[in-house]
């Protein structure tokens, strides 16, 4: 009888694995087994685990999605990574749908402090709460200058979801203050990327040449830390730390936080932080219950983030009110006309009980693919501003921000599954007038109908996917 080919997960351990590496993987395996409470040893499970870890260990992409890593196993993993030469460390660390928790997230923060190799970190659906998220955000703000993409989305089961956006619990105040102190900037560690940048409480690296040669000079330097309210005094401490990270991180360009139950208040916190973000290109917030009020608060910061090009707000129950707030904020930044929804349309309440909208990710074509992840790239500069006829019922809004002279740089706006109707679509016409680079507007699973699609097409005829079969009309879109 012929034998079937075995899957990657059931292959025998690679024979070339070094004895030291095999010993590390076995320690990692037993830490995982203890965390899962699996008392009975299984040689088959061990072989599968060795195959998975050994197969990706010496590669630039450490892809360990759904392998059961808990906090202790994550500590072992980070220690082993930091013991490797810089050239051997991965640029991609993917740990989605494990069980890191706050302690595992703190271990990842140590990696971010002491390694300049990692440029993409994905740790979605890992039950990371405010303390763990603050560890990551503070490490990025104060000790890391290389990470360009951070994905803390929670698209797994409810039990796996990250919960860092929730409010402060009284018992967490001291632990949050300790997490902030552990990754605070020190005279010996600028917002840098060498092995000398360690968190407080760790032993300093005696072999680091920077510690010996530059210590006196560093002690004389002032650390540029903007005034801030301590996170443990904020009602949503992790969001305060996230805002601080956006202000301080010099290279972070992709931030993905889908399905984290942010809500309107957290969206407002992000809106306040966006004008200070130095390098953010993509902001992905689908399925977060932001609603019209949260969209209005977030939208105020969008045009003031000079680098932002891709925004994903799919499945956030915006309604016409949220679409109007988005159009108004972008129109105000450029002083362009905006179609106002009627008072009857705007006064009708927006329901939030529909849980059946499909989650949709932005479809931007200019991406570097990373195991299903897509990294936004900048568009070619110098594109001409669009021209076109105005939609009905147009008034002009004077600019509320005179200092904002340039139009927003948005190229992609994902608004699928948001209950946007005809009036909301008309309000979005202002987005095209204030964002001349916008070429992708996703409005699938809304109710814009033929009239809404026609209003948008009047302003911008060449636009990717403005309609769809499920938009309450016959317009098909591309």
């Amino acid at each position: 009888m012929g034998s079937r080919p075995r899957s990657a997960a059931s292959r025998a351990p690679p024979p070339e694995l070094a004895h030291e590496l095999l010993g590390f993987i076995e320690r990692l395996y037993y830490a995982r087994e203890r965390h899962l409470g699996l008392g009975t040893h299984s040689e088959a499970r061990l072989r599968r685990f060795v195959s998975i870890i050994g197969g990706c260990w010496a590669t630039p992409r450490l892809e360990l999605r759904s392998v059961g890593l808990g906090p202790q196993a994550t500590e072992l993993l980070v220690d082993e990574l930091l013991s490797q030469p810089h050239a051997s460390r991965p640029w991609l660390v993917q740990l989605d749908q494990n069980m890191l928790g706050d302690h595992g997230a703190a271990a990842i923060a140590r990696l971010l402090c002491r390694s300049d190799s990692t440029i993409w970190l994905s740790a979605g659906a890992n039950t990371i709460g405010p303390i763990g998220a603050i560890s990551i955000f503070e490490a990025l703000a104060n000790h890391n200058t290389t990470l360009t993409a951070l994905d803390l989305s929670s698209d797994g089961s409810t039990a796996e979801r990250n919960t860092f956006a929730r409010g402060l619990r009284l018992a967490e105040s001291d632990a949050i203050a300790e997490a902030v102190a552990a990754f605070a900037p020190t005279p010996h560690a600028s917002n840098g990327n060498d092995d000398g940048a360690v968190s407080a409480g760790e032993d300093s690296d005696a072999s680091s040449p920077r510690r010996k040669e530059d210590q006196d000079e560093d002690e004389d330097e002032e650390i540029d830390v903007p005034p801030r309210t301590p996170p443990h005094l904020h009602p949503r401490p992790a969001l305060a730390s996230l805002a601080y990270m956006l202000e301080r991180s010099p290279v972070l360009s992709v931030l993905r936080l889908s399905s984290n139950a942010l809500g309107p208040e957290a969206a407002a916190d992000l809106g306040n932080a966006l004008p200070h973000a130095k390098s953010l290109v993509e902001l992905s917030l689908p399925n977060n219950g932001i609603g019209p009020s949260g969209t209005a608060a977030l939208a105020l910061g969008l045009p003031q983030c000079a680098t932002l090009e891709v925004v994903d707000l799919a499945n956030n129950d915006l309604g016409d009110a949220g679409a109007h707030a988005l159009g108004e904020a972008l129109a105000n930044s450029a002083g362009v006309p905006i179609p106002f929804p009627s008072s009857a349309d705007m006064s009708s309440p927006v329901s939030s009980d529909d849980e059946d909208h499909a989650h949709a990710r932005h479809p931007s074509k200019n991406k570097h693919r990373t195991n299903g992840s897509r990294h936004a790239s900048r568009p070619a500069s110098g594109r001409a501003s669009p021209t076109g006829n105005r939609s009905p019922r147009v008034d002009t809004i004077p600019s509320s921000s005179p200092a904002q002279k340039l139009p927003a740089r948005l190229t992609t706006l994902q608004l699928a599954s948001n209950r946007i109707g005809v009036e909301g679509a008309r309000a979005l016409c202002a987005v095209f007038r204030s964002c001349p680079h916008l070429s992708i507007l996703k409005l699938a699973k809304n109710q814009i109908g033929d009239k809404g699609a026609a209003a948008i097409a009047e302003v911008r005829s060449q636009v990717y996917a403005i309609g769809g079969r499920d938009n309450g009309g016959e317009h098909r879109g591309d």
Side-chain angles (χ1 to χ4, degrees):
M1 184 171 62
S3 60
R4 295 181 299 174
R6 290 179 292 178
S7 66
S10 62
R11 287 198 303 263
E16 67 276 9
L17 280 182
H19 177 73
E20 294 81 4
L21 177 57
L22 188 58
F24 155 68
I25 297 176
E26 288 180 350
R27 292 195 303 274
L28 198 67
Y29 167 79
Y30 288 117
R32 166 188 177 269
E33 297 289 284
R34 287 193 296 271
H35 183 76
L36 294 174
L38 301 175
T40 305
H41 175 66
S42 167
E43 284 295 330
R45 282 201 307 267
L46 176 58
R47 284 196 300 271
R48 285 195 298 269
F49 191 78
V50 169
S51 178
I52 292 170
I53 305 298
C56 67
W57 183 254
T59 69
R61 298 156 61 103
L62 186 64
E63 298 174 284
L64 299 179
R65 182 186 179 96
S66 301
V67 296
L69 298 182
Q72 185 181 4
T74 308
E75 288 273 1
L76 291 172
L77 177 69
V78 168
D79 289 341
E80 187 67 22
L81 286 172
L82 290 175
S83 72
Q84 303 297 312
H86 281 266
S88 300
R89 297 175 189 173
W91 67 268
L92 166 70
V93 177
Q94 186 182 63
L95 299 171
D96 297 328
Q97 294 183 339
N98 283 285
M99 295 168 282
L100 272 60
D102 288 340
H103 291 291
I108 296 300
R110 280 199 300 118
L111 177 66
L112 296 174
C113 282
R114 299 185 56 190
S115 177
D116 61 356
S117 304
T118 306
I119 63 174
W120 192 296
L121 172 63
S122 185
N126 267 292
T127 64
I128 298 174
I131 298 169
I134 286 172
S135 298
I136 291 175
F137 298 152
E138 296 290 317
L140 288 173
N142 298 321
H143 298 287
N144 184 283
T145 60
T146 58
L147 194 82
T148 62
L150 176 64
D151 190 341
L152 294 179
S153 300
S154 292
D155 297 325
S157 68
T158 303
E160 296 172 331
R161 286 181 180 174
N162 296 329
T163 59
F164 61 85
R166 64 170 170 77
L168 174 68
R169 293 173 181 169
L170 186 60
E172 295 174 332
S173 294
D174 290 343
I176 288 172
E178 290 173 4
V180 172
F183 297 98
T186 69
H188 302 298
S190 62
N191 191 9
N193 53 17
D194 57 16
D195 279 349
V198 295
S199 61
E202 287 189 80
D203 293 335
S204 60
D205 186 355
S207 64
S208 171
R210 188 175 191 282
R211 288 301 180 91
K212 293 185 176 183
E213 296 174 8
D214 300 335
Q215 182 173 0
D216 294 336
E217 180 182 343
D218 286 346
E219 286 176 349
D220 294 333
E221 292 179 358
E222 283 191 19
I223 304 301
D224 181 21
V225 181
R228 61 186 297 215
T229 301
H232 67 279
L233 299 180
H234 193 279
R236 291 167 300 281
L239 270 296
S241 183
L242 173 59
Y244 176 67
M245 178 199 70
L246 289 175
E247 295 173 10
R248 296 271 292 168
S249 176
V251 295
L252 186 75
S253 58
V254 175
L255 180 62
R256 295 177 178 170
L257 303 174
S258 68
S259 304
N260 278 311
L262 297 180
E265 295 83 4
D269 292 338
L270 278 172
N272 291 332
L274 285 177
H276 308 287
K278 293 181 178 179
S279 56
L280 192 64
V281 175
E282 176 189 335
L283 179 63
S284 185
L285 305 172
N287 194 29
N288 269 299
I290 292 175
S293 61
T295 304
L298 178 67
L300 294 176
L302 293 179
Q304 300 182 60
C305 184
T307 57
L308 193 61
E309 298 177 7
V310 178
V311 175
D312 187 348
L313 296 176
N315 197 21
N316 270 298
D317 202 23
L318 271 62
D320 285 344
H324 177 271
L326 188 59
E328 181 178 22
L330 292 169
N332 277 345
S333 71
V336 299
I338 179 173
F340 285 97
S342 67
S343 58
D345 292 328
M346 296 302 297
S347 62
S348 59
V350 181
S351 173
S352 59
D353 58 352
D354 188 355
E355 302 275 340
D356 298 327
H357 290 313
H359 171 70
R361 290 188 177 273
H362 70 74
S364 179
K365 299 177 183 177
N366 299 323
K367 301 284 183 286
H368 299 297
R369 295 184 180 274
T370 306
N371 192 35
S373 299
R374 290 172 291 188
H375 189 162
S377 61
R378 297 177 182 272
S381 60
R383 294 182 60 180
S385 297
T387 58
N389 297 326
R390 295 179 180 178
S391 300
R393 287 183 291 164
V394 172
D395 292 326
T396 300
I397 301 177
S399 174
S400 62
S401 178
Q404 183 76 17
K405 302 294 185 183
L406 298 177
R409 296 184 52 157
L410 286 180
T411 65
T412 301
L413 185 57
Q414 167 65 286
L415 298 176
S417 302
N418 270 305
R419 307 191 194 188
I420 297 172
V422 176
E423 297 299 341
R426 287 174 176 158
L428 288 173
C429 291
V431 175
F432 290 107
R433 298 190 180 96
S434 55
C435 303
H437 299 295
L438 186 66
S439 59
I440 300 175
L441 174 62
K442 296 291 286 185
L443 287 171
K445 298 189 188 322
N446 284 292
Q447 294 88 41
I448 66 172
D450 291 339
K451 291 182 179 179
I456 293 177
E458 246 188 304
V459 180
R460 179 71 64 85
S461 58
Q462 299 298 320
V463 59
Y464 177 78
I466 63 172
R469 295 177 183 273
D470 44 7
N471 249 313
E474 295 302 317
H475 180 77
R476 290 294 180 264
D478 294 330

